[in-house]
Amino acid sequence: DRVWRLLAALGHPERDLPPVIHIAGTNGKGSTLAMIRAGLEAEGKRVHAYTSPHLARFHERIRLAGQLISEPDLTAVLDECYAANGKEPITYFEITTCAALLAFARTPADYTLLEVGLGGRLDATNVVDRPALTVITPVSYDHQQYLGETLAAIAGEKAGILKRLTPCVVGPQEEAALDVIEARAARLGAPLLVHRQHWHAFAERGRLTYQDERGLLDLPLPNLPGPHQIENAGAALAALRHLGAGEAAFDAAVSRADWPARMQRLRDGPLPAAAPGIELWLDGGHNPAAGQAIAGTLAQMPARPTWAICGMLNTKDVAGFMTPLAAHLQRLLAVSIPGEANTLPADTTAEAATRAGIPAETAPSVEAALATIAARDPAARVLICGSLYLAGSVLRANTATAP
């Protein structure tokens, strides 16, 4: 209701957006959005994109027709929203979402990509009556305090983005989640394009094979690392097929997508320079499904002693995240997340890792942890993981002081 009130005061910018693709899910939302954007832009389309959270700077959340919003434009729309809201209650995410929609409505583009912030049904982005397409990536356990304790309850919140008669691409789902999505779609008459029913995506002989009723696509493997990106790419390709995109879009979706802190190799900057023999990776995943995805990625990498530097929030399922990683990590150094009130203390993270079967200790900072690992195992692989907030801190530190 707070969002509806402010949007009304702003003249309903949500009614003047370029065609909207609305994306919900527990994991894979951002990667799928990045692939769809890369595909559309390869065909010369101008694409707005709204994502969250940001990593290094707020402007990452709002991309206007392909470019990050400028400081003057961001200041102007935020000031306008602040004035229109007056003294009425509103949250940080709600008012910044309204600012993004206002900026999108005023800038010509061909498409608008909206990533759900939390859940879907009651999310601040869920204000478009008739999007061109919706997408639901894999649903799993996260934010149970807001979305419910069962997979069916969480899926019900995600399925809240479905709209009457609007098609929806559905990524891989557990049966309990898919049942809920299909039931809601049936009530709304929303056509579904479901993984393994209407489209298939798999790796074969070092290539990505995608198949649906329109035929088969033979493409490079996704440039975003990890076996889970095969299915994210499949959802993106299904979306692009529905939107009428062509071969250039399909190839670009898998080969040009950019999505930082998702198994991102850090090659330049002060951190890699401080440990030149180390193979350094960064991932912001923080829930059990992310732990499984990271484990699957590590399993496919060439054998190398692998250490982790991990910091997590106190609202997350730490054991669920850690357990899949135990078979792949030699040791874990736990840190607190700098400047984050809800950080899990480093010693608590270390204790959780030990219970999950990972030898662990604490370090005062990421830099100190990396120095410790480099001294003990100078040719190791190191994964910095556990939180997007930690990933953002690392990216800021690795660029702000870079030569």
Side-chain angles (χ1 to χ4, degrees), residues 59 69-82 99:
H59 305 63
I69 192 169
S70 69
E71 184 71 20
D73 287 345
L74 177 60
T75 301
V77 291
L78 286 173
D79 284 348
E80 189 169 345
C81 289
Y82 184 79

Side-chain angles (χ1 to χ4, degrees), residues 70-121:
S70 69
E71 184 71 20
D73 287 345
L74 177 60
T75 301
V77 291
L78 286 173
D79 284 348
E80 189 169 345
C81 289
Y82 184 79
N85 191 65
K87 295 184 178 180
E88 296 294 330
I90 198 157
T91 70
Y92 168 87
F93 185 73
E94 289 165 351
I95 197 168
T96 53
T97 299
C98 290
L101 298 177
L102 188 61
F104 292 158
R106 292 175 175 173
T107 305
D110 299 294
Y111 288 99
T112 303
L113 305 182
L114 296 181
E115 180 191 1
V116 166
L118 176 66
R121 182 175 64 93

Side-chain angles (χ1 to χ4, degrees), residues 266-280:
L266 299 181
R267 300 179 185 273
D268 302 308
L271 282 176
I278 295 290
E279 182 185 290
L280 191 58

